[in-house]
Protein backbone atom coordinates (compact mmCIF):
# COMPACT_ATOMS: atom_id res chain seq x y z
CA UNK A 1 0.00 0.00 0.00
CA UNK A 2 1.44 3.42 -0.94
CA UNK A 3 2.61 5.57 1.95
CA UNK A 4 4.11 9.00 2.38
CA UNK A 5 7.92 9.21 2.27
CA UNK A 6 8.68 12.62 3.78
CA UNK A 7 12.43 12.21 3.84
CA UNK A 8 14.94 15.04 4.08
CA UNK A 9 16.06 14.44 0.51
CA UNK A 10 12.51 14.70 -0.84
CA UNK A 11 11.88 17.88 1.15
CA UNK A 12 15.08 19.55 -0.10
CA UNK A 13 14.36 18.67 -3.73
CA UNK A 14 10.78 19.91 -3.42
CA UNK A 15 11.75 23.19 -1.76
CA UNK A 16 14.65 23.98 -4.09
CA UNK A 17 12.77 23.02 -7.25
CA UNK A 18 9.62 24.81 -6.18
CA UNK A 19 11.48 28.01 -5.37
CA UNK A 20 13.41 27.98 -8.67
CA UNK A 21 10.13 27.41 -10.53
CA UNK A 22 8.30 30.19 -8.68
CA UNK A 23 11.18 32.64 -8.99
CA UNK A 24 11.61 31.78 -12.66
CA UNK A 25 8.05 32.82 -13.41
CA UNK A 26 8.71 36.38 -12.21
CA UNK A 27 12.51 36.57 -12.56
CA UNK A 28 12.55 39.15 -15.36
CA UNK A 29 10.16 41.41 -13.49
CA UNK A 30 12.10 41.07 -10.23
CA UNK A 31 15.58 41.62 -11.70
CA UNK A 32 14.95 43.96 -14.63
CA UNK A 33 11.97 45.96 -13.39
CA UNK A 34 12.34 45.95 -9.60
CA UNK A 35 16.16 45.64 -9.84
CA UNK A 36 16.27 43.24 -6.87
CA UNK A 37 19.10 40.72 -6.74
CA UNK A 38 18.36 37.02 -6.79
CA UNK A 39 20.72 36.61 -3.82
CA UNK A 40 18.50 38.82 -1.65
CA UNK A 41 15.31 37.00 -2.65
CA UNK A 42 16.91 33.60 -2.04
CA UNK A 43 18.31 34.68 1.34
CA UNK A 44 14.89 35.85 2.53
CA UNK A 45 13.27 32.66 1.30
CA UNK A 46 15.89 30.62 3.18
CA UNK A 47 15.02 32.48 6.37
CA UNK A 48 11.31 31.89 5.81
CA UNK A 49 11.74 28.16 5.21
CA UNK A 50 14.58 27.50 7.67
CA UNK A 51 14.68 26.65 11.38
CA UNK A 52 13.69 30.19 12.35
CA UNK A 53 10.74 30.21 9.95
CA UNK A 54 8.55 27.38 8.70
CA UNK A 55 11.18 24.78 9.71
CA UNK A 56 10.94 23.07 6.35
CA UNK A 57 14.71 23.26 5.76
CA UNK A 58 16.49 21.68 8.74
CA UNK A 59 20.25 21.94 8.19
CA UNK A 60 21.31 20.02 11.30
CA UNK A 61 19.23 17.05 10.16
CA UNK A 62 21.42 16.71 7.07
CA UNK A 63 24.57 16.01 9.13
CA UNK A 64 25.69 12.60 10.32
CA UNK A 65 25.70 13.41 14.03
CA UNK A 66 23.49 16.54 14.26
CA UNK A 67 26.52 18.60 15.34
CA UNK A 68 27.54 22.15 14.56
CA UNK A 69 31.00 20.98 13.56
CA UNK A 70 29.61 18.69 10.86
CA UNK A 71 27.35 21.49 9.61
CA UNK A 72 30.38 23.80 9.44
CA UNK A 73 32.14 21.23 7.25
CA UNK A 74 29.15 21.16 4.90
CA UNK A 75 29.12 24.96 4.72
CA UNK A 76 32.85 25.05 3.93
CA UNK A 77 32.57 22.40 1.20
CA UNK A 78 29.50 24.06 -0.33
CA UNK A 79 31.21 27.48 -0.37
CA UNK A 80 34.33 26.00 -1.99
CA UNK A 81 32.28 24.37 -4.71
CA UNK A 82 30.27 27.47 -5.56
CA UNK A 83 33.29 29.78 -5.45
CA UNK A 84 35.33 27.44 -7.63
CA UNK A 85 32.71 27.31 -10.38
CA UNK A 86 31.95 31.02 -10.16
CA UNK A 87 35.60 32.04 -10.31
CA UNK A 88 36.36 29.92 -13.36
CA UNK A 89 33.34 31.51 -15.05
CA UNK A 90 34.52 34.95 -13.93
CA UNK A 91 37.92 34.31 -15.45
CA UNK A 92 36.40 32.99 -18.66
CA UNK A 93 34.28 36.09 -19.28
CA UNK A 94 37.26 38.46 -19.22
CA UNK A 95 38.97 39.35 -22.55
CA UNK A 96 42.22 37.73 -23.59
CA UNK A 97 45.33 38.55 -21.56
CA UNK A 98 43.20 40.78 -19.37
CA UNK A 99 45.33 40.32 -16.25
CA UNK A 100 48.43 41.34 -18.20
CA UNK A 101 46.80 44.35 -19.84
CA UNK A 102 45.28 45.62 -16.59
CA UNK A 103 48.21 44.86 -14.32
CA UNK A 104 48.47 48.44 -13.11
CA UNK A 105 44.83 48.75 -12.02
CA UNK A 106 44.86 45.29 -10.44
CA UNK A 107 48.14 45.88 -8.63
CA UNK A 108 46.64 48.93 -6.91
CA UNK A 109 43.37 47.16 -6.10
CA UNK A 110 45.01 43.97 -4.85
CA UNK A 111 47.87 45.71 -3.08
CA UNK A 112 47.28 49.01 -1.25
CA UNK A 113 43.49 48.90 -1.51
CA UNK A 114 43.12 45.37 -0.18
CA UNK A 115 45.66 45.95 2.59
CA UNK A 116 43.88 49.10 3.78
CA UNK A 117 40.53 47.27 3.64
CA UNK A 118 41.99 44.58 5.89
CA UNK A 119 43.47 47.04 8.39
CA UNK A 120 40.34 49.20 8.49
CA UNK A 121 38.07 46.20 9.03
CA UNK A 122 40.29 44.82 11.79
CA UNK A 123 40.56 48.19 13.51
CA UNK A 124 36.80 48.70 13.51
CA UNK A 125 36.24 45.23 14.96
CA UNK A 126 38.90 45.82 17.60
CA UNK A 127 37.32 49.14 18.60
CA UNK A 128 33.69 47.97 18.78
CA UNK A 129 33.74 44.26 19.67
CA UNK A 130 34.79 43.71 23.31
CA UNK A 131 37.19 41.03 24.49
CA UNK A 132 39.36 40.79 21.36
CA UNK A 133 43.03 41.52 20.85
CA UNK A 134 44.12 43.45 17.79
CA UNK A 135 45.58 40.33 16.14
CA UNK A 136 42.32 38.45 16.68
CA UNK A 137 40.44 41.39 15.17
CA UNK A 138 42.73 41.36 12.13
CA UNK A 139 41.98 37.67 11.60
CA UNK A 140 38.25 38.41 11.62
CA UNK A 141 38.79 41.42 9.36
CA UNK A 142 40.64 39.24 6.85
CA UNK A 143 37.50 37.13 6.38
CA UNK A 144 35.48 40.11 5.15
CA UNK A 145 38.26 41.85 3.20
CA UNK A 146 37.76 40.20 -0.23
CA UNK A 147 34.92 41.44 -2.40
CA UNK A 148 32.56 38.69 -3.46
CA UNK A 149 32.48 37.57 -7.13
CA UNK A 150 28.94 36.17 -6.85
CA UNK A 151 27.34 39.34 -5.52
CA UNK A 152 29.53 41.42 -7.84
CA UNK A 153 28.06 39.57 -10.82
CA UNK A 154 24.56 40.65 -9.79
CA UNK A 155 25.75 44.26 -9.89
CA UNK A 156 27.61 44.28 -13.22
CA UNK A 157 25.06 42.27 -15.19
CA UNK A 158 21.60 43.14 -16.43
CA UNK A 159 19.81 46.11 -17.87
CA UNK A 160 20.90 48.55 -15.16
CA UNK A 161 24.57 47.65 -15.63
CA UNK A 162 24.35 47.86 -19.43
CA UNK A 163 22.83 51.32 -19.18
CA UNK A 164 24.79 52.90 -16.37
CA UNK A 165 28.09 51.06 -15.86
CA UNK A 166 30.86 51.24 -18.50
CA UNK A 167 32.14 47.87 -19.70
CA UNK A 168 35.76 48.58 -18.56
CA UNK A 169 34.49 49.28 -15.04
CA UNK A 170 32.38 46.11 -15.07
CA UNK A 171 35.38 44.04 -16.06
CA UNK A 172 37.77 45.48 -13.50
CA UNK A 173 35.22 44.81 -10.75
CA UNK A 174 34.90 41.19 -11.93
CA UNK A 175 38.66 40.75 -12.13
CA UNK A 176 39.29 42.28 -8.72
CA UNK A 177 36.56 40.26 -7.00
CA UNK A 178 37.93 37.08 -8.56
CA UNK A 179 41.58 37.66 -7.71
CA UNK A 180 41.19 39.04 -4.20
CA UNK A 181 39.21 36.02 -3.05
CA UNK A 182 42.27 33.81 -3.27
CA UNK A 183 44.56 36.55 -2.00
CA UNK A 184 42.65 36.72 1.27
CA UNK A 185 44.74 33.77 2.47
CA UNK A 186 47.92 35.76 3.32
CA UNK A 187 46.01 38.32 5.41
CA UNK A 188 44.09 35.63 7.26
CA UNK A 189 46.94 33.26 8.01
CA UNK A 190 49.40 36.00 8.91
CA UNK A 191 47.05 36.97 11.76
CA UNK A 192 46.21 33.36 12.67
CA UNK A 193 49.85 32.24 12.79
CA UNK A 194 50.85 35.22 14.93
CA UNK A 195 47.97 34.51 17.29
CA UNK A 196 48.69 30.78 17.45
CA UNK A 197 52.48 30.80 17.72
CA UNK A 198 53.42 34.26 19.04
CA UNK A 199 50.66 34.86 21.58
CA UNK A 200 49.82 31.31 22.71
CA UNK A 201 53.21 29.59 22.35
CA UNK A 202 55.81 32.40 22.31
CA UNK A 203 57.22 31.25 18.93
CA UNK A 204 57.00 34.40 16.80
CA UNK A 205 59.91 33.39 14.55
CA UNK A 206 58.25 30.11 13.67
CA UNK A 207 55.02 31.99 12.85
CA UNK A 208 56.85 34.17 10.31
CA UNK A 209 58.67 31.18 8.85
CA UNK A 210 55.45 29.19 8.53
CA UNK A 211 53.69 32.13 6.92
CA UNK A 212 56.24 32.54 4.13
CA UNK A 213 56.86 28.86 3.46
CA UNK A 214 53.39 27.38 3.84
CA UNK A 215 51.06 30.28 2.99
CA UNK A 216 52.99 32.40 0.50
CA UNK A 217 55.09 29.79 -1.29
CA UNK A 218 52.96 26.66 -1.09
CA UNK A 219 49.37 27.93 -0.85
CA UNK A 220 49.52 31.07 -3.01
CA UNK A 221 52.37 30.69 -5.51
CA UNK A 222 51.74 27.00 -6.11
CA UNK A 223 48.05 27.76 -6.67
CA UNK A 224 48.89 30.36 -9.30
CA UNK A 225 51.28 27.99 -11.08
CA UNK A 226 48.89 25.04 -10.81
CA UNK A 227 45.88 27.03 -12.04
CA UNK A 228 47.88 28.46 -14.94
CA UNK A 229 49.21 25.06 -16.04
CA UNK A 230 45.84 23.31 -15.79
CA UNK A 231 44.07 26.15 -17.59
CA UNK A 232 46.66 26.14 -20.38
CA UNK A 233 46.48 22.36 -20.83
CA UNK A 234 42.68 22.48 -20.85
CA UNK A 235 42.75 25.20 -23.52
CA UNK A 236 45.15 23.31 -25.78
CA UNK A 237 43.33 20.00 -25.34
CA UNK A 238 39.98 21.57 -26.18
CA UNK A 239 41.51 23.25 -29.25
CA UNK A 240 42.94 19.91 -30.36
CA UNK A 241 39.65 18.06 -29.86
CA UNK A 242 37.59 20.78 -31.53
CA UNK A 243 39.82 20.96 -34.61
CA UNK A 244 39.41 17.20 -35.08
CA UNK A 245 35.67 17.35 -34.34
CA UNK A 246 35.94 15.01 -31.39
CA UNK A 247 33.90 17.12 -28.95
CA UNK A 248 30.16 17.80 -29.24
CA UNK A 249 28.55 21.13 -28.44
CA UNK A 250 27.17 20.08 -25.05
CA UNK A 251 30.56 18.90 -23.79
CA UNK A 252 32.17 22.03 -25.23
CA UNK A 253 29.86 24.32 -23.25
CA UNK A 254 30.25 22.44 -19.99
CA UNK A 255 34.04 22.23 -20.27
CA UNK A 256 34.74 25.28 -18.08
CA UNK A 257 32.45 24.02 -15.32
CA UNK A 258 34.12 20.59 -15.36
CA UNK A 259 37.48 22.38 -15.19
CA UNK A 260 36.31 24.16 -12.02
CA UNK A 261 35.23 20.91 -10.38
CA UNK A 262 38.56 19.27 -11.22
CA UNK A 263 40.59 22.15 -9.74
CA UNK A 264 38.49 22.37 -6.57
CA UNK A 265 38.93 18.65 -5.92
CA UNK A 266 42.61 18.37 -6.84
CA UNK A 267 43.64 21.54 -4.98
CA UNK A 268 41.71 20.35 -1.97
CA UNK A 269 43.69 17.11 -1.96
CA UNK A 270 47.10 18.81 -2.08
CA UNK A 271 46.07 21.61 0.29
CA UNK A 272 46.55 24.68 -1.91
CA UNK A 273 44.31 27.69 -2.55
CA UNK A 274 41.64 26.25 -4.84
CA UNK A 275 39.81 29.59 -5.01
CA UNK A 276 42.77 31.46 -6.51
CA UNK A 277 43.71 28.50 -8.73
CA UNK A 278 40.21 28.46 -10.24
CA UNK A 279 40.35 32.15 -11.16
CA UNK A 280 43.83 31.85 -12.69
CA UNK A 281 42.77 28.73 -14.60
CA UNK A 282 39.71 30.53 -16.00
CA UNK A 283 41.87 33.41 -17.26
CA UNK A 284 44.48 31.08 -18.75
CA UNK A 285 41.80 28.93 -20.32
CA UNK A 286 40.64 31.94 -22.39
CA UNK A 287 44.07 33.45 -22.92
CA UNK A 288 43.45 33.54 -26.68
CA UNK A 289 39.79 34.62 -26.29
CA UNK A 290 38.65 31.66 -28.39
CA UNK A 291 36.42 29.93 -25.84
CA UNK A 292 34.90 33.19 -24.58
CA UNK A 293 33.90 34.31 -28.06
CA UNK A 294 32.60 30.85 -28.96
CA UNK A 295 30.29 30.85 -25.92
CA UNK A 296 29.40 34.56 -25.97
CA UNK A 297 25.77 33.99 -26.94
CA UNK A 298 25.21 30.68 -25.16
CA UNK A 299 23.15 30.65 -21.99
CA UNK A 300 24.53 27.61 -20.19
CA UNK A 301 27.08 29.49 -18.08
CA UNK A 302 24.63 32.22 -16.94
CA UNK A 303 22.11 29.48 -16.16
CA UNK A 304 24.56 27.58 -13.95
CA UNK A 305 25.54 30.88 -12.37
CA UNK A 306 21.90 31.64 -11.50
CA UNK A 307 21.23 28.17 -10.07
CA UNK A 308 24.31 28.35 -7.85
CA UNK A 309 23.42 31.85 -6.62
CA UNK A 310 19.89 30.86 -5.68
CA UNK A 311 20.90 27.59 -4.06
CA UNK A 312 23.71 28.87 -1.86
CA UNK A 313 21.90 31.97 -0.62
CA UNK A 314 18.79 29.93 0.08
CA UNK A 315 21.04 27.69 2.17
CA UNK A 316 22.69 30.68 3.86
CA UNK A 317 19.30 32.01 4.90
CA UNK A 318 18.58 28.69 6.61
CA UNK A 319 21.96 28.13 8.33
CA UNK A 320 22.75 31.68 9.48
CA UNK A 321 22.86 31.94 13.31
CA UNK A 322 19.93 34.33 13.57
CA UNK A 323 19.15 33.61 17.22
CA UNK A 324 22.74 34.29 18.31
CA UNK A 325 22.88 37.89 17.10
CA UNK A 326 20.92 39.30 20.05
CA UNK A 327 21.41 36.61 22.67
CA UNK A 328 25.20 36.50 23.07
CA UNK A 329 26.04 38.40 26.28
CA UNK A 330 29.74 38.77 25.44
CA UNK A 331 28.92 40.75 22.29
CA UNK A 332 26.06 43.26 22.68
CA UNK A 333 23.85 43.48 19.63
CA UNK A 334 24.28 47.26 19.45
CA UNK A 335 28.05 47.00 19.19
CA UNK A 336 27.77 44.16 16.69
CA UNK A 337 25.36 46.07 14.45
CA UNK A 338 27.39 49.26 14.79
CA UNK A 339 30.58 47.46 13.76
CA UNK A 340 28.93 46.03 10.64
CA UNK A 341 27.49 49.40 9.60
CA UNK A 342 30.82 51.19 10.05
CA UNK A 343 32.60 48.40 8.15
CA UNK A 344 30.28 48.82 5.17
CA UNK A 345 30.83 52.59 5.21
CA UNK A 346 34.59 52.76 5.80
CA UNK A 347 36.05 49.41 4.71
CA UNK A 348 36.29 50.28 0.99
CA UNK A 349 34.81 53.60 -0.26
CA UNK A 350 37.36 56.02 1.27
CA UNK A 351 40.44 54.22 -0.08
CA UNK A 352 38.96 53.84 -3.58
CA UNK A 353 38.05 57.54 -3.66
CA UNK A 354 41.53 58.43 -2.46
CA UNK A 355 43.44 56.28 -4.98
CA UNK A 356 41.10 56.31 -7.99
CA UNK A 357 43.40 58.63 -9.96
CA UNK A 358 46.06 55.91 -9.91
CA UNK A 359 43.66 53.22 -11.15
CA UNK A 360 43.40 53.62 -14.95
CA UNK A 361 40.13 51.69 -15.28
CA UNK A 362 38.33 53.98 -12.84
CA UNK A 363 37.89 57.04 -14.99
CA UNK A 364 36.36 59.66 -12.70
CA UNK A 365 35.03 60.39 -9.24
CA UNK A 366 31.58 59.01 -10.04
CA UNK A 367 33.00 55.65 -11.13
CA UNK A 368 35.23 55.65 -8.04
CA UNK A 369 32.19 56.15 -5.82
CA UNK A 370 30.45 53.25 -7.52
CA UNK A 371 33.46 50.92 -7.35
CA UNK A 372 34.02 51.87 -3.72
CA UNK A 373 30.45 51.36 -2.64
CA UNK A 374 29.86 48.10 -4.52
CA UNK A 375 32.43 45.95 -2.78
CA UNK A 376 30.04 43.32 -1.43
CA UNK A 377 30.76 40.77 1.29
CA UNK A 378 29.35 37.36 0.42
CA UNK A 379 30.23 33.72 -0.18
CA UNK A 380 33.98 34.30 0.02
CA UNK A 381 33.56 35.66 3.57
CA UNK A 382 31.64 32.54 4.59
CA UNK A 383 34.38 30.42 3.04
CA UNK A 384 37.07 32.19 5.07
CA UNK A 385 34.87 32.05 8.18
CA UNK A 386 34.87 28.27 8.16
CA UNK A 387 38.55 28.09 7.24
CA UNK A 388 39.18 30.18 10.36
CA UNK A 389 36.92 28.07 12.56
CA UNK A 390 38.64 24.91 11.32
CA UNK A 391 42.02 26.40 12.30
CA UNK A 392 40.77 27.55 15.71
CA UNK A 393 39.36 24.11 16.52
CA UNK A 394 42.90 22.79 16.22
CA UNK A 395 44.06 25.54 18.58
CA UNK A 396 41.41 24.44 21.11
CA UNK A 397 43.24 21.13 21.51
CA UNK A 398 46.35 22.88 22.85
CA UNK A 399 47.05 23.08 26.59
CA UNK A 400 45.75 26.59 27.30
CA UNK A 401 45.35 28.42 30.57
CA UNK A 402 42.01 29.86 31.64
CA UNK A 403 42.50 33.34 30.16
CA UNK A 404 43.76 31.94 26.84
CA UNK A 405 40.83 29.52 26.58
CA UNK A 406 38.38 32.33 27.33
CA UNK A 407 39.98 34.58 24.72
CA UNK A 408 39.84 31.78 22.16
CA UNK A 409 36.13 31.17 22.77
CA UNK A 410 35.45 34.91 22.46
CA UNK A 411 37.29 34.95 19.14
CA UNK A 412 35.32 31.96 17.82
CA UNK A 413 32.01 33.56 18.79
CA UNK A 414 32.95 37.00 17.45
CA UNK A 415 34.22 35.56 14.16
CA UNK A 416 30.99 33.69 13.54
CA UNK A 417 28.70 36.61 14.43
CA UNK A 418 30.64 39.43 12.75
CA UNK A 419 31.18 37.59 9.47
CA UNK A 420 27.63 36.26 9.22
CA UNK A 421 26.05 39.63 10.03
CA UNK A 422 28.40 41.39 7.58
CA UNK A 423 27.32 39.02 4.80
CA UNK A 424 23.62 39.43 5.60
CA UNK A 425 23.93 43.22 5.78
CA UNK A 426 25.84 43.36 2.50
CA UNK A 427 23.30 41.18 0.70
CA UNK A 428 20.49 43.42 1.91
CA UNK A 429 22.19 46.79 1.42
CA UNK A 430 23.70 46.05 -1.98
CA UNK A 431 20.58 44.15 -3.03
CA UNK A 432 18.26 47.13 -2.54
CA UNK A 433 20.64 49.92 -3.60
CA UNK A 434 19.68 49.90 -7.27
CA UNK A 435 15.91 50.05 -6.56
CA UNK A 436 16.54 52.93 -4.15
CA UNK A 437 18.58 54.76 -6.80
CA UNK A 438 15.86 54.23 -9.39
CA UNK A 439 13.19 55.37 -6.94
CA UNK A 440 15.25 58.41 -5.99
CA UNK A 441 15.50 59.38 -9.65
CA UNK A 442 11.83 58.72 -10.32
CA UNK A 443 10.39 60.76 -7.44
CA UNK A 444 11.85 64.16 -8.50
CA UNK A 445 10.87 63.48 -12.11
CA UNK A 446 7.30 62.64 -11.05
CA UNK A 447 7.10 65.77 -8.89
CA UNK A 448 8.44 67.88 -11.74
CA UNK A 449 5.83 66.54 -14.13
CA UNK A 450 3.04 67.11 -11.61
CA UNK A 451 4.14 70.69 -11.01
CA UNK A 452 4.38 71.24 -14.75
CA UNK A 453 0.80 70.04 -15.26
CA UNK A 454 -0.44 72.24 -12.42
CA UNK A 455 1.28 75.35 -13.72
CA UNK A 456 0.01 74.71 -17.25
CA UNK A 457 -3.57 74.85 -15.93
CA UNK A 458 -3.11 77.96 -13.79
CA UNK A 459 -4.06 81.39 -15.16
CA UNK A 460 -1.02 83.27 -16.24
CA UNK A 461 1.01 80.10 -16.83
CA UNK A 462 -0.77 77.98 -19.36
CA UNK A 463 -1.55 81.06 -21.50
CA UNK A 464 2.11 81.35 -22.42
CA UNK A 465 2.01 78.01 -24.26
CA UNK A 466 0.31 78.31 -27.62
CA UNK A 467 -1.53 75.35 -29.15
CA UNK A 468 0.97 75.35 -32.01
CA UNK A 469 4.00 75.20 -29.71
CA UNK A 470 2.29 72.50 -27.67
CA UNK A 471 1.79 70.41 -30.80
CA UNK A 472 5.42 70.96 -31.76
CA UNK A 473 6.57 69.94 -28.31
CA UNK A 474 4.51 66.77 -28.37
CA UNK A 475 5.72 65.87 -31.85
CA UNK A 476 9.32 66.35 -30.77
CA UNK A 477 8.98 64.17 -27.68
CA UNK A 478 7.69 61.26 -29.73
CA UNK A 479 10.53 61.25 -32.26
CA UNK A 480 12.52 58.00 -32.19
CA UNK A 481 16.02 58.04 -30.77
CA UNK A 482 18.51 57.49 -33.57
CA UNK A 483 20.61 54.36 -33.20
CA UNK A 484 23.58 55.84 -35.04
CA UNK A 485 25.21 59.20 -35.47
CA UNK A 486 25.01 60.19 -31.80
CA UNK A 487 27.39 57.64 -30.32
CA UNK A 488 29.18 59.31 -27.45
CA UNK A 489 28.25 62.83 -28.71
CA UNK A 490 26.98 65.75 -26.67
CA UNK A 491 24.63 67.96 -28.63
CA UNK A 492 24.43 71.71 -28.10
CA UNK A 493 20.74 72.51 -28.37
CA UNK A 494 21.43 76.14 -29.22
CA UNK A 495 23.07 75.08 -32.49
CA UNK A 496 19.97 73.22 -33.67
CA UNK A 497 17.15 75.08 -35.36
CA UNK A 498 13.69 73.70 -35.94
CA UNK A 499 11.77 71.54 -33.53
CA UNK A 500 11.76 68.48 -35.77
CA UNK A 501 15.52 68.03 -35.46
CA UNK A 502 15.66 67.84 -31.64
CA UNK A 503 14.89 64.42 -30.19
CA UNK A 504 13.65 64.83 -26.63
CA UNK A 505 16.30 62.63 -24.98
CA UNK A 506 19.05 64.54 -26.81
CA UNK A 507 17.58 67.87 -25.72
CA UNK A 508 18.07 66.75 -22.13
CA UNK A 509 21.79 66.71 -22.83
CA UNK A 510 22.82 67.09 -19.20
CA UNK A 511 20.27 64.65 -17.81
CA UNK A 512 20.77 61.12 -16.59
CA UNK A 513 18.47 59.71 -19.28
CA UNK A 514 20.69 60.87 -22.17
CA UNK A 515 23.88 59.85 -20.42
CA UNK A 516 22.45 56.43 -19.69
CA UNK A 517 21.30 55.97 -23.28
CA UNK A 518 24.71 56.94 -24.66
CA UNK A 519 26.45 54.62 -22.19
CA UNK A 520 24.13 51.78 -23.14
CA UNK A 521 24.95 52.34 -26.82
CA UNK A 522 28.68 52.33 -26.00
CA UNK A 523 28.39 49.06 -24.10
CA UNK A 524 26.35 47.48 -26.87
CA UNK A 525 28.90 48.68 -29.44
CA UNK A 526 31.74 46.99 -27.56
CA UNK A 527 29.79 43.75 -27.29
CA UNK A 528 28.91 44.03 -30.98
CA UNK A 529 32.59 44.26 -31.85
CA UNK A 530 33.21 41.08 -29.88
CA UNK A 531 30.49 39.25 -31.79
CA UNK A 532 31.90 40.54 -35.09
CA UNK A 533 35.33 39.26 -34.08
CA UNK A 534 33.80 35.89 -33.27
CA UNK A 535 32.13 35.70 -36.69
CA UNK A 536 35.41 36.55 -38.42
Amino acid sequence: MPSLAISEFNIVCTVLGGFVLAFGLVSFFVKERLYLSEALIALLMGVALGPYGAHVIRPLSYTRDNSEESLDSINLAFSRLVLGVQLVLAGVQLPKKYLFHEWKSLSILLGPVMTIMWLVSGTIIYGLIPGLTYVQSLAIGACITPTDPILSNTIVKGKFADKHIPVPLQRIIIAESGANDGLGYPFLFLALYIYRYAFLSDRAGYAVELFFTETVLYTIILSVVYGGVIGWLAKDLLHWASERRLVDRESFLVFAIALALFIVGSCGMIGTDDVLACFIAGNTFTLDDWFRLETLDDSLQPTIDMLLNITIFLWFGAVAPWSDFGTTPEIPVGRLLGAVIVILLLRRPPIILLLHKYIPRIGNLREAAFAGYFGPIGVSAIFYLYVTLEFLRQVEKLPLDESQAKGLQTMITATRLVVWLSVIASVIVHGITVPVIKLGNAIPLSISRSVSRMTDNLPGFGSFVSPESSRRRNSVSTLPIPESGLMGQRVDVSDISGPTSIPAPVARVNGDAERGKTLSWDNNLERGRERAQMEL
Side-chain angles (χ1 to χ4, degrees), residues 33-54:
R33 297 290 179 84
L34 299 180
Y35 297 100
L36 294 173
S37 70
E38 56 201 20
L40 174 60
I41 303 299
L43 181 74
L44 296 177
M45 184 57 63
V47 178
L49 298 176
Y52 304 99

Side-chain angles (χ1 to χ4, degrees), residues 112-407:
V113 170
M114 196 172 177
T115 303
I116 296 299
M117 289 169 62
W118 173 49
L119 295 175
V120 168
S121 300
T123 303
I124 293 171
I125 293 168
Y126 176 69
L128 293 177
I129 304 299
L132 296 174
T133 65
Y134 190 63
V135 172
Q136 290 175 324
S137 302
L138 287 177
I140 301 173
C143 296
I144 57 177
T145 294
T147 56
D148 188 67
I150 299 175
L151 292 178
S152 295
N153 274 343
T154 65
I155 296 167
V156 298
K157 289 182 179 179
K159 186 172 66 175
F160 180 86
D162 289 341
K163 186 174 182 180
H164 297 285
I165 307 172
V167 169
L169 184 60
Q170 295 179 27
R171 287 173 174 166
I172 199 65
I173 290 175
I174 293 172
E176 181 202 5
S177 64
N180 67 15
D181 273 1
L183 294 177
Y185 263 95
F187 299 103
L188 176 63
F189 278 92
L190 177 61
L192 289 179
Y193 286 152
I194 291 175
Y195 171 67
R196 161 68 176 83
Y197 295 103
F199 284 80
L200 300 182
S201 304
D202 196 19
R203 300 168 63 191
Y206 182 69
V208 175
E209 176 188 345
L210 197 62
F211 171 73
F212 282 104
T213 57
E214 185 171 310
T215 301
V216 175
L217 291 177
Y218 187 81
T219 304
I220 301 300
I221 295 180
L222 179 59
S223 298
V224 172
V225 174
Y226 182 78
V229 170
I230 296 299
W232 186 278
L233 289 176
K235 172 181 67 69
D236 285 353
L237 288 173
L238 188 60
H239 265 294
W240 179 84
S242 180
E243 289 169 358
R244 288 159 179 77
R245 298 190 177 183
L246 299 177
V247 57
D248 61 11
R249 186 63 181 174
E250 291 78 10
S251 299
F252 184 88
L253 294 176
V254 82
F255 204 82
I257 299 169
L259 176 64
L261 298 177
F262 176 80
I263 293 176
V264 168
S266 58
C267 282
M269 286 190 288
I270 63 177
T272 59
D273 185 355
D274 49 355
V275 174
L276 181 59
C278 283
F279 180 69
I280 297 298
N283 278 274
T284 310
F285 184 58
T286 56
L287 201 62
D288 57 0
D289 234 16
W290 172 66
F291 184 82
R292 185 180 72 90
L293 294 175
E294 285 289 328
T295 58
L296 196 63
D297 292 322
D298 286 299
S299 58
L300 176 63
Q301 293 177 13
T303 302
I304 298 297
D305 180 54
M306 183 269 293
L307 285 174
L308 290 175
N309 288 351
I310 288 179
T311 304
I312 196 164
F313 282 101
L314 185 72
W315 176 255
F316 282 174
V319 300
W322 298 98
S323 62
D324 295 341
F325 291 137
T327 60
T328 305
E330 300 88 357
I331 305 176
V333 65
R335 283 178 170 265
L336 181 62
L337 188 59
V340 170
I341 293 173
V342 177
I343 285 171
L344 291 178
L345 292 176
L346 300 182
R347 158 181 163 267
R348 180 176 171 86
I351 186 62
I352 294 290
L353 291 172
L354 183 64
L355 297 180
H356 79 277
K357 293 182 179 179
Y358 304 99
I359 305 174
R361 282 305 175 188
I362 299 180
N364 51 52
L365 195 61
R366 187 173 184 177
E367 292 183 4
F370 178 85
Y373 178 77
F374 283 104
I377 305 168
V379 180
S380 56
I382 301 300
F383 166 74
Y384 282 116
L385 163 65
Y386 290 108
V387 170
T388 303
L389 294 181
E390 189 175 61
F391 181 90
L392 295 179
R393 285 198 181 96
Q394 299 300 317
V395 177
E396 280 186 301
K397 300 176 182 178
L398 299 174
L400 304 175
D401 59 36
E402 184 177 352
S403 62
Q404 290 174 335
K406 182 179 179 181

